[in-house]
Amino acid sequence: NGSAFYNNPNNTKDMCGLPVVASSISSGTFYKTEVVINLGGFREDYFIDFVDHEFHLKLLTKGWFMLWEQKANIEHNLGLQQHNAVDNWIEHSPYRYYYIARNMANGLYCYGGFKGLYTFLKSIPGHLLKVFRYSDIPWSITGNIIRGLLDAGFGKMGKK
């Protein structure tokens, strides 16, 4: 994806013929340097996973938005173990689930309060059903998700 952030005072749905999107994977995003500096950069204590999305939430709360250039084609290797496009399943390494769960719970609570946290938490059972359907290591993934959620609750951030 090819995305860039711009100030959006009128909350438009598109600009210059490009759709406005809420978030993107950072490896495919172009940022204005002054915006990144002005907002204090990315959260280093997230270490990995949700770093880009948390920054995009920060940008959105300050009135900025992202444009999506649909013609851009950037390959992003997630280190897949398994992939099932029909059921929208992408499996990460087990340790990544810790960071995904911890950082998403923390970030969505910070920006959306209990409603944001609840929205994330209610998606976990459906994801776990896919874990047990497609993964060869469902208990390792489940344990990492639980540990991540607990550490988010206790405010334990940074690299583990």
Side-chain angles (χ1 to χ4, degrees):
N1 97 42
S3 306
F5 276 100
Y6 297 92
N7 197 285
N8 185 12
N10 300 321
N11 293 320
T12 57
K13 300 281 187 229
D14 61 56
M15 182 177 187
C16 302
L18 299 175
V20 174
V21 293
S23 196
S24 173
I25 298 172
S26 278
S27 59
T29 304
F30 299 96
Y31 299 99
K32 289 184 173 185
T33 305
E34 68 267 18
V35 174
V36 175
I37 292 169
N38 183 271
L39 294 177
F42 295 87
R43 282 191 62 164
E44 292 184 29
D45 63 343
Y46 274 11
F47 171 66
I48 189 173
D49 289 309
F50 203 68
V51 177
D52 40 14
H53 302 297
E54 187 277 336
F55 186 73
H56 301 159
L57 288 169
K58 188 186 322 184
L59 284 165
L60 291 170
T61 63
K62 301 296 184 182
W64 292 81
F65 69 105
M66 184 178 358
L67 301 176
W68 177 24
E69 172 51 73
Q70 296 171 322
K71 294 176 188 170
N73 184 18
I74 298 172
E75 185 174 328
H76 183 75
N77 185 340
L78 296 173
L80 302 177
Q81 292 178 350
Q82 291 189 41
H83 182 248
N84 182 317
V86 174
D87 208 7
N88 195 25
W89 168 255
I90 297 172
E91 183 172 313
H92 302 284
S93 299
Y95 79 91
R96 296 264 317 266
Y97 286 91
Y98 167 84
Y99 292 107
I100 292 168
R102 185 196 69 184
N103 297 350
M104 285 186 76
N106 178 272
L108 293 173
Y109 176 75
C110 287
Y111 287 92
F114 286 110
K115 183 177 180 181
L117 178 61
Y118 174 72
T119 300
F120 170 59
L121 293 177
K122 73 179 184 178
S123 73
I124 292 175
H127 189 77
L128 287 176
L129 285 174
K130 291 180 184 181
V131 166
F132 279 92
R133 180 174 181 187
Y134 297 114
S135 179
D136 295 330
I137 49 171
W139 290 108
S140 179
I141 291 170
T142 302
N144 275 287
I145 290 171
I146 292 168
R147 282 189 295 279
L149 292 172
L150 289 172
D151 279 359
F154 291 116
K156 294 181 180 180
M157 304 305 289
K159 185 177 179 180
K160 299 291 179 212

